[in-house]
Coordinates of all heavy atoms in Angstrom, one line a residue:
E1 N 78.5 108.0 57.0 CA 79.5 107.0 57.4 C 79.0 105.6 56.9 O 77.9 105.3 57.1 CB 79.7 107.0 58.9 CG 80.8 106.0 59.3 CD 80.9 106.1 60.8 OE1 81.0 107.2 61.3 OE2 81.0 105.1 61.5
A2 N 79.8 104.9 56.2 CA 79.4 103.6 55.7 C 79.0 102.7 56.9 O 79.7 102.6 57.9 CB 80.6 102.9 54.9
G3 N 77.9 101.9 56.7 CA 77.5 101.0 57.6 C 76.5 101.5 58.7 O 75.9 100.8 59.4
R4 N 76.3 102.9 58.7 CA 75.4 103.5 59.6 C 74.0 103.4 59.2 O 73.7 103.5 58.0 CB 75.8 105.0 59.7 CG 75.1 105.7 60.8 CD 75.6 107.1 60.9 NE 74.9 107.8 62.0 CZ 75.1 109.1 62.2 NH1 75.9 109.8 61.5 NH2 74.4 109.7 63.1
Q5 N 73.1 103.1 60.1 CA 71.7 102.9 59.7 C 71.0 104.3 59.7 O 71.2 105.1 60.6 CB 70.9 102.1 60.7 CG 71.3 100.6 60.6 CD 70.4 99.7 61.4 OE1 69.5 100.2 62.1 NE2 70.5 98.4 61.2
V6 N 70.2 104.5 58.6 CA 69.5 105.8 58.5 C 68.0 105.5 58.0 O 67.7 104.4 57.5 CB 70.2 106.7 57.4 CG1 71.5 107.1 57.9 CG2 70.2 106.1 56.1
L7 N 67.2 106.5 58.1 CA 65.9 106.5 57.5 C 65.9 107.3 56.3 O 66.4 108.5 56.4 CB 64.8 106.9 58.5 CG 64.6 106.1 59.8 CD1 63.6 106.8 60.7 CD2 64.0 104.8 59.4
A8 N 65.3 106.9 55.2 CA 65.2 107.7 54.0 C 63.7 108.3 54.0 O 62.8 107.5 54.1 CB 65.4 106.9 52.8
C9 N 63.6 109.6 54.1 CA 62.3 110.3 54.1 C 62.1 111.1 52.9 O 63.0 111.8 52.4 CB 62.2 111.2 55.3 SG 62.5 110.4 56.9
I10 N 60.9 110.9 52.3 CA 60.6 111.6 51.1 C 59.1 112.1 51.3 O 58.2 111.4 51.6 CB 60.6 110.7 49.8 CG1 62.0 110.1 49.7 CG2 60.2 111.5 48.6 CD1 62.1 108.9 48.8
R11 N 58.9 113.4 51.1 CA 57.6 114.0 51.3 C 56.7 113.5 50.2 O 57.1 113.4 49.0 CB 57.7 115.5 51.2 CG 58.5 116.1 52.4 CD 58.7 117.6 52.2 NE 57.6 118.3 51.7 CZ 57.0 119.3 52.4 NH1 57.5 119.7 53.5 NH2 55.9 119.9 51.9
P12 N 55.4 113.1 50.5 CA 54.5 112.6 49.5 C 54.3 113.5 48.3 O 54.1 113.0 47.2 CB 53.2 112.5 50.3 CG 53.6 112.3 51.7 CD 54.8 113.1 51.9
E13 N 54.4 114.8 48.5 CA 54.2 115.7 47.3 C 55.4 115.7 46.4 O 55.3 116.3 45.3 CB 53.8 117.2 47.8 CG 54.7 117.7 48.8 CD 54.3 117.4 50.3 OE1 53.7 116.4 50.5 OE2 54.6 118.2 51.1
D14 N 56.5 115.1 46.8 CA 57.7 115.0 45.9 C 57.7 113.6 45.1 O 58.7 113.4 44.4 CB 59.0 115.1 46.8 CG 59.2 116.5 47.3 OD1 58.6 117.4 46.7 OD2 59.8 116.6 48.3
V15 N 56.7 112.8 45.4 CA 56.7 111.5 44.7 C 55.7 111.6 43.5 O 54.6 112.0 43.6 CB 56.2 110.4 45.7 CG1 56.1 109.0 45.0 CG2 57.2 110.3 46.8
V16 N 56.2 111.1 42.3 CA 55.4 111.1 41.1 C 54.9 109.7 40.9 O 55.7 108.7 41.0 CB 56.2 111.6 39.9 CG1 55.4 111.5 38.6 CG2 56.7 113.0 40.2
V17 N 53.7 109.5 40.5 CA 53.1 108.2 40.2 C 52.6 108.2 38.7 O 52.0 109.1 38.3 CB 51.9 107.9 41.1 CG1 51.4 106.4 40.9 CG2 52.2 108.1 42.6
A18 N 53.1 107.1 38.0 CA 52.7 107.0 36.6 C 52.2 105.6 36.4 O 52.6 104.6 37.1 CB 53.9 107.2 35.7
P19 N 51.3 105.4 35.4 CA 50.8 104.1 35.1 C 52.0 103.2 34.7 O 53.0 103.7 34.1 CB 49.9 104.3 33.9 CG 49.5 105.7 34.0 CD 50.7 106.4 34.6
S20 N 52.0 101.9 34.9 CA 53.0 101.0 34.6 C 52.7 100.5 33.2 O 51.6 100.1 32.9 CB 53.1 99.9 35.5 OG 54.1 99.0 35.3
P21 N 53.6 100.3 32.3 CA 55.0 100.9 32.4 C 55.0 102.4 32.2 O 54.4 102.8 31.2 CB 55.8 100.2 31.4 CG 54.8 99.9 30.3 CD 53.5 99.7 31.0
G22 N 55.7 103.1 33.1 CA 55.8 104.6 32.9 C 56.8 104.9 31.8 O 58.0 104.6 31.9
Q23 N 56.3 105.4 30.7 CA 57.1 105.6 29.5 C 57.5 107.0 29.3 O 58.3 107.4 28.5 CB 56.4 105.1 28.3 CG 56.2 103.6 28.3 CD 55.5 103.1 27.1 OE1 55.1 103.8 26.2 NE2 55.2 101.8 27.1
G24 N 56.9 107.9 30.1 CA 57.3 109.3 30.0 C 58.6 109.6 30.6 O 58.9 109.3 31.7
A25 N 59.5 110.3 29.8 CA 60.8 110.7 30.3 C 60.7 111.8 31.3 O 59.9 112.8 31.0 CB 61.7 111.0 29.1
T26 N 61.4 111.8 32.4 CA 61.4 112.8 33.3 C 62.9 113.0 33.8 O 63.7 112.1 33.6 CB 60.5 112.6 34.6 OG1 61.1 111.6 35.4 CG2 59.1 112.2 34.2
S27 N 63.1 114.0 34.6 CA 64.4 114.2 35.2 C 64.6 113.4 36.5 O 65.7 113.3 37.0 CB 64.8 115.7 35.4 OG 63.8 116.2 36.3
A28 N 63.5 112.8 37.0 CA 63.6 112.0 38.2 C 64.2 110.6 37.8 O 63.6 109.9 37.0 CB 62.2 111.8 38.8
R29 N 65.4 110.3 38.4 CA 66.1 109.1 38.0 C 65.8 107.9 39.0 O 66.2 106.8 38.7 CB 67.6 109.4 38.0 CG 67.9 110.3 36.9 CD 67.6 109.8 35.5 NE 67.8 110.7 34.5 CZ 67.0 110.8 33.4 NH1 65.9 110.1 33.3 NH2 67.3 111.7 32.5
N30 N 65.2 108.2 40.1 CA 64.9 107.1 41.0 C 63.4 106.6 40.7 O 62.5 107.2 41.0 CB 64.9 107.7 42.5 CG 66.3 108.2 42.8 OD1 67.2 107.4 42.9 ND2 66.5 109.5 42.9
R31 N 63.4 105.5 40.0 CA 62.1 105.0 39.5 C 62.0 103.6 40.0 O 62.9 102.7 39.8 CB 62.1 105.0 38.0 CG 62.2 106.4 37.4 CD 62.5 106.4 35.9 NE 61.6 105.6 35.1 CZ 60.5 106.0 34.5 NH1 60.2 107.3 34.5 NH2 59.7 105.2 33.8
L32 N 60.8 103.3 40.6 CA 60.5 102.0 41.2 C 59.2 101.5 40.8 O 58.2 102.2 40.9 CB 60.6 102.1 42.8 CG 61.8 102.7 43.4 CD1 61.6 103.1 44.8 CD2 62.9 101.6 43.3
P33 N 59.1 100.2 40.4 CA 57.8 99.6 40.1 C 57.1 99.3 41.4 O 57.7 99.0 42.4 CB 58.1 98.4 39.3 CG 59.5 98.0 39.8 CD 60.2 99.3 40.2
G34 N 55.8 99.3 41.4 CA 55.0 99.0 42.6 C 53.6 98.8 42.3 O 53.1 98.8 41.1
R35 N 52.8 98.6 43.4 CA 51.4 98.3 43.2 C 50.7 99.2 44.3 O 51.1 99.3 45.4 CB 51.1 96.8 43.5 CG 49.6 96.5 43.3 CD 49.4 95.0 43.5 NE 50.3 94.1 42.7 CZ 50.0 93.8 41.4 NH1 48.9 94.2 40.9 NH2 50.8 93.0 40.7
I36 N 49.6 99.9 43.9 CA 48.9 100.7 44.8 C 48.2 99.8 45.8 O 47.4 98.9 45.5 CB 47.8 101.6 44.0 CG1 48.5 102.6 43.1 CG2 46.9 102.3 45.0 CD1 47.6 103.4 42.2
T37 N 48.4 100.2 47.1 CA 47.8 99.4 48.2 C 46.7 100.1 48.9 O 45.8 99.5 49.5 CB 48.8 99.0 49.2 OG1 49.5 100.2 49.7 CG2 49.9 98.0 48.6
R38 N 46.7 101.5 48.7 CA 45.6 102.3 49.4 C 45.5 103.6 48.7 O 46.5 104.2 48.4 CB 45.9 102.4 50.9 CG 44.9 103.3 51.6 CD 45.1 103.4 53.0 NE 44.9 102.1 53.7 CZ 45.3 101.8 54.9 NH1 46.0 102.7 55.6 NH2 45.0 100.6 55.4
L39 N 44.2 104.0 48.6 CA 43.9 105.4 48.1 C 43.1 106.0 49.2 O 42.0 105.5 49.6 CB 43.1 105.3 46.8 CG 43.8 104.8 45.5 CD1 42.8 104.5 44.4 CD2 45.0 105.6 45.1
T40 N 43.5 107.2 49.6 CA 42.8 107.9 50.6 C 42.4 109.3 50.1 O 43.3 110.1 49.8 CB 43.6 108.1 51.9 OG1 44.1 106.8 52.3 CG2 42.8 108.7 53.1
Q41 N 41.1 109.6 50.1 CA 40.6 110.9 49.6 C 40.9 112.0 50.7 O 40.6 111.8 51.8 CB 39.1 110.9 49.4 CG 38.7 109.8 48.4 CD 39.1 110.2 46.9 OE1 39.1 111.3 46.6 NE2 39.4 109.2 46.2
L42 N 41.5 113.1 50.3 CA 41.8 114.2 51.2 C 41.3 115.5 50.5 O 42.2 116.3 50.0 CB 43.3 114.2 51.5 CG 43.9 113.0 52.1 CD1 45.5 113.1 52.1 CD2 43.4 112.8 53.5
G43 N 40.0 115.7 50.4 CA 39.5 116.9 49.8 C 39.7 116.8 48.3 O 39.4 115.8 47.6
S44 N 40.5 117.7 47.7 CA 40.7 117.7 46.3 C 42.0 116.9 45.9 O 42.3 116.8 44.8 CB 40.9 119.2 45.8 OG 42.1 119.7 46.4
Q45 N 42.6 116.3 46.9 CA 43.8 115.5 46.7 C 43.5 114.0 47.2 O 42.6 113.7 47.9 CB 45.0 116.1 47.5 CG 45.3 117.5 46.9 CD 46.6 118.0 47.6 OE1 47.0 117.6 48.7 NE2 47.3 118.9 46.8
V46 N 44.4 113.2 46.7 CA 44.4 111.7 47.0 C 45.8 111.3 47.5 O 46.8 111.6 46.8 CB 43.9 110.9 45.8 CG1 43.9 109.4 46.2 CG2 42.6 111.3 45.3
R47 N 45.8 110.7 48.7 CA 47.1 110.1 49.1 C 47.1 108.6 48.5 O 46.2 107.9 48.7 CB 47.1 110.0 50.6 CG 48.4 109.4 51.2 CD 48.3 109.3 52.7 NE 49.3 108.5 53.2 CZ 50.5 108.9 53.7 NH1 50.7 110.2 53.7 NH2 51.4 108.1 54.2
V48 N 48.2 108.4 47.8 CA 48.3 107.1 47.1 C 49.5 106.4 47.8 O 50.6 106.8 47.8 CB 48.7 107.3 45.6 CG1 48.8 106.0 44.9 CG2 47.7 108.2 44.9
E49 N 49.2 105.2 48.3 CA 50.2 104.4 49.0 C 50.6 103.3 48.0 O 49.8 102.6 47.5 CB 49.8 103.9 50.3 CG 49.6 105.0 51.3 CD 49.2 104.5 52.7 OE1 49.4 103.3 53.0 OE2 48.6 105.3 53.4
V50 N 51.9 103.1 47.8 CA 52.4 102.2 46.8 C 53.4 101.3 47.5 O 54.3 101.7 48.2 CB 53.1 102.9 45.6 CG1 53.7 101.9 44.6 CG2 52.2 103.9 44.9
D51 N 53.3 99.9 47.3 CA 54.2 99.0 47.8 C 55.2 98.7 46.7 O 54.9 98.2 45.6 CB 53.5 97.7 48.1 CG 54.4 96.6 48.7 OD1 55.6 96.8 48.7 OD2 53.9 95.5 49.1
S52 N 56.5 99.2 47.0 CA 57.6 99.0 46.1 C 58.7 98.2 46.8 O 59.9 98.4 46.6 CB 58.2 100.3 45.6 OG 57.3 101.0 44.8
G53 N 58.3 97.2 47.6 CA 59.2 96.5 48.5 C 59.2 97.2 49.9 O 59.7 96.7 50.9
F54 N 58.8 98.4 49.9 CA 58.5 99.3 51.1 C 57.4 100.2 50.6 O 57.2 100.4 49.5 CB 59.8 100.0 51.6 CG 60.5 100.8 50.5 CD1 60.1 102.1 50.3 CD2 61.4 100.2 49.6 CE1 60.7 102.9 49.3 CE2 61.9 100.9 48.6 CZ 61.6 102.3 48.4
V55 N 56.8 100.9 51.6 CA 55.7 101.7 51.3 C 56.2 103.1 50.9 O 56.9 103.7 51.7 CB 54.6 101.8 52.4 CG1 53.5 102.8 52.1 CG2 54.1 100.4 52.6
L56 N 55.8 103.7 49.8 CA 56.0 105.1 49.4 C 54.6 105.7 49.3 O 53.7 105.1 48.8 CB 56.7 105.2 48.1 CG 58.2 105.2 48.0 CD1 58.7 105.1 46.6 CD2 58.7 106.4 48.7
A57 N 54.5 106.9 49.8 CA 53.2 107.6 49.7 C 53.4 108.8 48.8 O 54.4 109.5 48.8 CB 52.8 108.2 51.1
A58 N 52.4 109.0 47.9 CA 52.4 110.1 47.0 C 51.1 110.9 47.2 O 50.1 110.4 47.7 CB 52.4 109.7 45.6
L59 N 51.1 112.2 47.0 CA 50.0 113.1 47.1 C 49.7 113.7 45.7 O 50.6 114.3 45.1 CB 50.2 114.2 48.1 CG 49.1 115.0 48.6 CD1 48.1 114.0 49.3 CD2 49.6 116.0 49.6
I60 N 48.5 113.3 45.1 CA 48.2 113.7 43.8 C 46.8 114.3 43.8 O 46.1 114.2 44.8 CB 48.2 112.6 42.7 CG1 47.2 111.5 43.0 CG2 49.7 112.0 42.7 CD1 47.1 110.4 42.0
T61 N 46.4 115.0 42.7 CA 45.1 115.6 42.7 C 44.1 114.5 42.4 O 44.4 113.4 41.8 CB 44.9 116.7 41.6 OG1 45.1 116.0 40.3 CG2 45.9 117.8 41.8
R62 N 42.8 114.7 42.8 CA 41.7 113.7 42.6 C 41.5 113.6 41.1 O 41.3 112.5 40.6 CB 40.5 114.2 43.3 CG 39.3 113.3 43.0 CD 38.0 113.8 43.7 NE 38.2 113.6 45.1 CZ 37.2 113.9 46.0 NH1 36.1 114.2 45.5 NH2 37.4 113.7 47.2
R63 N 41.6 114.7 40.3 CA 41.5 114.6 38.9 C 42.5 113.7 38.2 O 42.2 112.9 37.4 CB 41.6 116.0 38.3 CG 41.3 116.1 36.8 CD 41.3 117.5 36.3 NE 41.2 117.5 34.9 CZ 41.0 118.5 34.1 NH1 41.1 119.7 34.7 NH2 40.9 118.5 32.8
S64 N 43.8 113.9 38.7 CA 44.8 113.0 38.1 C 44.5 111.5 38.4 O 44.7 110.6 37.6 CB 46.2 113.3 38.7 OG 46.6 114.6 38.2
C65 N 44.1 111.3 39.6 CA 43.8 109.9 40.1 C 42.7 109.3 39.2 O 42.8 108.2 38.7 CB 43.4 109.9 41.5 SG 43.2 108.2 42.2
E66 N 41.6 110.1 38.9 CA 40.5 109.6 38.1 C 41.0 109.5 36.6 O 40.7 108.5 36.0 CB 39.4 110.6 38.1 CG 38.7 110.7 39.5 CD 37.7 111.8 39.7 OE1 37.6 112.7 38.8 OE2 37.1 111.9 40.8
E67 N 41.7 110.4 36.1 CA 42.1 110.4 34.7 C 43.1 109.2 34.4 O 43.1 108.7 33.3 CB 42.7 111.7 34.2 CG 41.7 112.8 34.1 CD 42.4 114.1 33.7 OE1 43.6 114.2 33.5 OE2 41.6 115.1 33.5
L68 N 43.9 108.9 35.4 CA 44.9 107.8 35.3 C 44.2 106.4 35.6 O 44.9 105.4 35.5 CB 46.1 108.0 36.0 CG 46.9 109.2 35.5 CD1 48.0 109.6 36.6 CD2 47.6 108.9 34.2
S69 N 43.0 106.5 36.1 CA 42.2 105.3 36.4 C 42.9 104.5 37.5 O 42.9 103.2 37.5 CB 42.0 104.4 35.2 OG 41.2 105.1 34.2
F70 N 43.5 105.2 38.5 CA 44.2 104.5 39.6 C 43.2 103.8 40.5 O 42.2 104.4 40.9 CB 45.1 105.4 40.4 CG 46.4 105.8 39.7 CD1 47.0 107.0 40.1 CD2 46.9 105.1 38.7 CE1 48.2 107.4 39.5 CE2 48.1 105.5 38.1 CZ 48.7 106.7 38.5
R71 N 43.5 102.6 40.8 CA 42.7 101.8 41.8 C 43.6 101.0 42.7 O 44.8 100.8 42.3 CB 41.8 100.8 41.0 CG 40.9 101.3 40.0 CD 39.6 102.0 40.6 NE 38.7 102.5 39.6 CZ 38.7 103.8 39.3 NH1 39.5 104.6 39.8 NH2 37.8 104.2 38.4
E72 N 43.1 100.6 43.8 CA 43.9 99.7 44.6 C 44.2 98.4 43.8 O 43.4 97.9 43.1 CB 43.2 99.3 45.9 CG 43.1 100.5 46.9 CD 42.4 100.2 48.2 OE1 42.1 99.0 48.5 OE2 42.2 101.2 48.9
G73 N 45.5 98.0 43.8 CA 46.0 96.9 43.0 C 46.6 97.3 41.6 O 47.2 96.5 41.0
S74 N 46.4 98.6 41.2 CA 47.0 99.0 40.0 C 48.5 99.0 40.0 O 49.1 99.4 41.1 CB 46.6 100.5 39.7 OG 45.2 100.6 39.4
E75 N 49.1 98.5 39.0 CA 50.6 98.5 38.9 C 51.0 99.9 38.4 O 50.5 100.4 37.4 CB 51.1 97.4 37.9 CG 50.9 96.0 38.5 CD 51.5 94.9 37.7 OE1 52.4 95.3 36.9 OE2 51.1 93.8 37.8
V76 N 52.0 100.5 39.0 CA 52.5 101.8 38.7 C 54.0 101.9 38.8 O 54.7 101.0 39.3 CB 51.8 102.9 39.7 CG1 50.3 102.9 39.5 CG2 52.2 102.5 41.2
I77 N 54.5 103.0 38.4 CA 55.9 103.4 38.6 C 55.9 104.6 39.4 O 55.2 105.6 39.1 CB 56.6 103.7 37.2 CG1 56.6 102.5 36.3 CG2 58.0 104.2 37.4 CD1 57.4 101.3 36.7
V78 N 56.7 104.6 40.5 CA 56.8 105.8 41.3 C 58.3 106.3 41.1 O 59.2 105.6 40.9 CB 56.6 105.5 42.8 CG1 55.2 105.2 43.1 CG2 57.5 104.4 43.4
S79 N 58.4 107.7 41.1 CA 59.7 108.2 40.9 C 59.9 109.5 41.8 O 58.9 110.1 42.2 CB 59.9 108.6 39.4 OG 58.9 109.5 39.0
F80 N 61.1 109.8 42.0 CA 61.4 111.0 42.8 C 62.8 111.4 42.5 O 63.6 110.6 42.1 CB 61.2 110.8 44.3 CG 62.0 109.7 44.9 CD1 63.3 109.9 45.4 CD2 61.6 108.4 44.9 CE1 64.1 108.9 45.9 CE2 62.4 107.3 45.4 CZ 63.6 107.6 45.9
K81 N 63.1 112.7 42.7 CA 64.5 113.2 42.4 C 65.3 112.9 43.7 O 64.8 112.9 44.8 CB 64.4 114.7 42.2 CG 63.8 115.1 40.9 CD 64.0 116.6 40.6 CE 63.6 116.9 39.2 NZ 64.1 118.2 38.8
A82 N 66.6 112.7 43.5 CA 67.5 112.4 44.6 C 67.5 113.5 45.6 O 67.6 113.3 46.8 CB 68.9 112.2 44.1
S83 N 67.3 114.8 45.1 CA 67.3 115.9 46.0 C 66.1 115.9 47.0 O 66.0 116.7 47.9 CB 67.3 117.2 45.2 OG 66.2 117.3 44.4
S84 N 65.1 115.1 46.7 CA 63.9 115.0 47.6 C 64.1 114.0 48.7 O 63.3 114.1 49.7 CB 62.7 114.5 46.7 OG 62.3 115.4 45.8
A85 N 65.1 113.2 48.7 CA 65.3 112.2 49.8 C 66.2 112.9 50.9 O 67.2 113.5 50.6 CB 66.1 111.0 49.2
H86 N 65.7 112.7 52.1 CA 66.4 113.2 53.3 C 66.7 112.1 54.1 O 65.8 111.2 54.5 CB 65.5 114.2 54.0 CG 65.1 115.4 53.1 ND1 65.9 116.4 52.8 CD2 63.9 115.5 52.4 CE1 65.2 117.2 52.0 NE2 64.0 116.7 51.7
L87 N 68.0 111.9 54.6 CA 68.4 110.8 55.4 C 68.5 111.3 56.9 O 69.1 112.4 57.2 CB 69.8 110.3 55.0 CG 69.8 109.8 53.5 CD1 71.2 109.3 53.2 CD2 68.8 108.7 53.3
L88 N 67.9 110.5 57.7 CA 67.9 110.8 59.2 C 68.6 109.7 59.9 O 68.3 108.5 59.7 CB 66.5 111.0 59.7 CG 65.6 112.0 59.0 CD1 64.2 111.9 59.6 CD2 66.2 113.4 59.2
A89 N 69.5 110.0 60.8 CA 70.2 109.0 61.6 C 69.2 108.3 62.5 O 68.3 108.8 63.0 CB 71.3 109.6 62.4
R90 N 69.4 106.9 62.6 CA 68.5 106.2 63.5 C 69.0 106.3 64.9 O 70.2 106.3 65.2 CB 68.5 104.7 63.0 CG 67.6 104.5 61.9 CD 67.3 103.0 61.7 NE 65.9 103.0 61.2 CZ 65.1 102.0 61.3 NH1 65.5 101.0 61.9 NH2 63.9 102.0 60.8

């Protein structure tokens, strides 16, 4: 319903992070520029928190994080498919 407040939830494993400017074409049409604010090591994975005007979290492999040279402060593009967004009534 128009005007109703909702929360948009996206699972971290559904968020893709690319170096800025992200030039690789994907089918994910929701693309937002941002800056990495926190990297948290979780075994073989890394939780990447990105400020895009709001915080989005992504879960990537440690190898991807190293190969892409992600650091806190890195400018990135985050993307996700519309089907990954779930709206919850407030």
Side-chain angles (χ1 to χ4, degrees):
E1 179 179 317
R4 186 173 179 189
Q5 288 192 355
V6 297
L7 293 173
C9 301
I10 304 165
R11 294 170 47 119
E13 49 272 28
D14 291 335
V15 178
V16 176
V17 185
S20 184
Q23 296 178 2
T26 72
S27 61
R29 296 297 176 220
N30 299 292
R31 298 167 53 97
L32 304 165
R35 185 177 304 276
I36 295 175
T37 57
R38 178 178 289 165
L39 296 170
T40 306
Q41 302 290 325
L42 302 170
S44 64
Q45 298 185 333
V46 178
R47 179 183 168 96
V48 181
E49 293 182 22
V50 178
D51 181 356
S52 290
F54 54 92
V55 176
L56 271 173
L59 197 57
I60 65 174
T61 64
R62 179 180 290 187
R63 182 175 178 178
S64 291
C65 190
E66 291 169 357
E67 288 179 2
L68 294 168
S69 301
F70 286 158
R71 303 282 181 264
E72 290 182 8
S74 295
E75 291 186 20
V76 295
I77 300 290
V78 291
S79 60
F80 58 91
K81 290 187 171 197
S83 60
S84 297
H86 304 280
L87 301 180
L88 304 175
R90 278 194 151 207

